[in-house]
């Protein structure tokens, strides 16, 4: 089965990890520091905190932003469930705003309609790898005293308006799962423009430990002392994962080039073909294409999905609207809440897209799909 996404691991990646295994530090060591520095440099120079997954990154970010009972998160339903569930677990109320039907990205006009005096965070998702309209979203957030969060699980390595992903919202979260734009095995990161939020994020992911003597409330202990002021968790990335991530970062530009090349070939092959629509790219955005979200029209998405899989091509669907999940439906969220997202979902089919996909593989995907929809 040809997968829709897959990691690309080189000999240099393997050597980077084995070097850590031969060294003194398996976690909380120099590779983690170096990786966080490299992510910061990629993201406009802001503080970066590495962690164990993209979901962990969202949990850390929402906790650092102080989300809790009585607060509201405004977000998109066209995403993996963690974008919303991590806020709900902290006690916040999730308000879903609809997406732009053309791109699947959060629609600022729908966000504006969803804002209330309790809105504390606007969380957008860079669906398929292109950035949301953060200038418009930031303006809305500033109006109500909220913060913006970019869920950049798909877009690491991209940019918009001449600014890199990581520099477009108040806080940015990243995922380094194997199918993502680079991998640490499992892993993620939080990038924070505000130093205080960044410190809160660091401490939350480090079990809440405070190590700055000037902040100690217990002042009569020895040099070993550390203390906890707020609850935290252990979301620390290992040096093994960080070493792999550092090696992968050296290949990120090549990953981006190959993903763009495959996307262009798909676009050319399917342009003007009856029954399908190619992805729409926003002006001013230089995407890091993570998904190729083809749209299959006329109610044929499931049929095409099943026949492509039967042909050995592992297409995928990204994503079921978040509020359809029983965990949200049981709270009273109803279908029909975001009609554009539901229409988008009914048509979306992710074709294989990853750097090691060969030209022959791409041709096979194209030919198989054209035969099915022709």
């Amino acid at each position: 089965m040809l997968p829709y996404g897959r990691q690309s691991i080189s000999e240099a990646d393997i050597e980077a990890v084995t070097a850590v295994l031969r060294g003194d530090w398996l976690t909380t060591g120099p590779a983690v520091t170096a990786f966080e520095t490299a992510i910061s440099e990629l993201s406009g120079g802001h503080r970066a905190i590495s962690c164990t997954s993209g979901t962990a990154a969202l949990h850390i970010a929402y906790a650092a932003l102080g989300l809790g009972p009585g607060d509201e998160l405004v977000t998109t339903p066209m995403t993996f469930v963690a974008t919303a569930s991590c806020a709900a677990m902290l006690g916040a109320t999730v308000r879903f705003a609809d997406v732009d039907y053309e791109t699947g990205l959060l629609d600022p006009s729908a966000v504006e309609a969803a804002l209330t005096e309790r809105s504390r965070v606007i969380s957008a998702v860079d669906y398929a790898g292109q950035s949301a309209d953060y200038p418009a979203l930031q303006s809305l957030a500033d109006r109500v005293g909220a913060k913006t969060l970019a869920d950049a699980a798909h877009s690491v390595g991209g940019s918009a308006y001449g600014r890199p992903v990581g520099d477009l919202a108040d806080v940015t979260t990243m995922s380094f799962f194997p199918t993502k734009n680079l991998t640490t095995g499992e892993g993620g990161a939080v990038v924070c423009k505000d130093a205080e939020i960044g410190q809160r994020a660091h401490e939350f992911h480090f079990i809440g430990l405070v190590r700055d003597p000037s902040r100690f409330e217990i002042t009569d202990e020895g040099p070993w002392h550390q203390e906890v002021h707020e609850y935290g968790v252990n979301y620390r990335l290992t040096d093994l994962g960080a070493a792999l991530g550092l090696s992968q970062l050296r290949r990120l530009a090549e990953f981006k080039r190959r993903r763009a090349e495959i996307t262009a070939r798909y676009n050319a092959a399917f342009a003007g073909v009856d029954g399908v629509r190619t992805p729409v790219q926003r002006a001013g955005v230089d995407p890091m294409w993570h998904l190729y979200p083809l749209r299959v029209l006329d109610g044929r998405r499931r049929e095409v999905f099943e026949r492509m899989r039967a042909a050995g091509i592992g297409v995928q669907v990204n994503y079921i609207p978040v509020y359809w999940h029983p965990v949200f439906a049981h709270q009273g969220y109803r279908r029909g809440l975001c009609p554009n997202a539901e229409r988008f979902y009914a048509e979306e089919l992710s074709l294989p897209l990853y750097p090691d996909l060969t030209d022959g593989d791409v041709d096979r995907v194209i030919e198989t799909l054209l035969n099915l929809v022709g």
Side-chain angles (χ1 to χ4, degrees), residues 142-362:
D142 292 344
R143 187 187 305 176
V144 297
K147 296 293 186 181
T148 54
L149 183 143
D151 183 339
H154 293 182
S155 62
V156 177
S159 64
Y161 326 113
R163 295 163 59 193
V165 167
D167 189 46
L168 299 171
D170 292 317
V171 176
T172 301
T173 62
M174 301 176 176
S175 172
F176 308 130
F177 187 73
T179 59
K180 296 301 196 295
N181 301 338
L182 70 142
T183 188
T184 57
E186 284 273 12
V190 183
V191 177
C192 303
K193 287 187 175 182
D194 182 272
E196 183 176 345
I197 294 172
Q199 184 61 26
R200 284 175 57 86
H202 170 78
E203 289 175 6
F204 182 80
H205 105 296
F206 214 100
I207 323 166
L209 291 175
V210 174
R211 292 176 164 177
D212 178 2
S214 69
R215 295 171 57 203
F216 285 169
E217 296 183 17
I218 303 169
T219 58
D220 57 353
E221 294 296 322
W224 60 83
H225 183 62
Q226 53 191 346
E227 58 192 39
V228 174
H229 296 175
E230 297 181 73
Y231 293 127
V233 291
N234 181 357
Y235 277 153
R236 297 174 302 203
L237 185 66
T238 68
D239 279 57
L240 296 169
L244 176 57
L246 275 168
S247 182
Q248 289 262 302
L249 278 169
R250 300 184 186 103
R251 305 167 64 203
L252 189 61
E254 174 56 24
F255 290 164
K256 183 174 186 290
R257 184 202 65 79
R258 180 57 179 162
R259 286 177 175 274
E261 185 175 80
I262 295 168
T263 296
R265 292 190 64 194
Y266 283 153
N267 285 342
F270 302 128
V273 174
D274 290 340
V276 299
R277 293 184 64 188
T278 55
V280 175
Q281 182 172 332
R282 292 184 59 235
V285 174
D286 181 18
M288 175 66 153
W289 287 111
H290 167 62
L291 300 175
Y292 187 84
L294 189 74
R295 310 277 282 284
V296 181
L297 310 180
D298 305 319
R300 296 190 62 198
R301 194 270 307 276
R302 181 164 183 168
E303 171 203 346
V304 172
F305 175 94
E306 291 176 347
R307 294 178 67 183
M308 290 288 281
R309 289 239 168 173
I313 297 173
V315 291
Q316 186 56 280
V317 172
N318 304 96
Y319 299 92
I320 182 174
V322 171
Y323 55 83
W324 284 21
H325 287 286
V327 69
F328 284 100
H330 293 164
Q331 298 175 55
Y333 294 87
R334 293 288 178 260
R335 296 192 181 198
L337 178 62
C338 296
N340 285 347
E342 294 184 20
R343 183 182 175 197
F344 189 97
Y345 162 69
E347 298 172 349
E348 198 276 339
L349 187 73
S350 299
L351 302 186
L353 179 60
Y354 51 93
D356 290 349
L357 201 66
T358 69
D359 288 347
D361 293 331
V362 175

Side-chain angles (χ1 to χ4, degrees), residues 32-50 156 164-166 172 174 176 182 184 188-191 237 245-246 249 252:
V32 171
T33 301
F35 182 58
E36 290 180 342
T37 298
I39 292 295
S40 172
E41 292 170 352
L42 180 72
S43 307
H46 308 296
R47 183 167 187 180
I49 299 94
S50 62
V156 177
V165 167
T172 301
M174 301 176 176
F176 308 130
L182 70 142
T184 57
V190 183
V191 177
L237 185 66
L246 275 168
L249 278 169
L252 189 61

Side-chain angles (χ1 to χ4, degrees), residues 53-73:
S53 70
T55 298
L58 286 160
H59 191 193
I60 293 163
Y62 291 145
L65 289 166
L67 265 184
D71 299 325
E72 291 182 349
L73 169 80

Side-chain angles (χ1 to χ4, degrees), residues 119 140 259:
S119 300
L140 293 171
R259 286 177 175 274

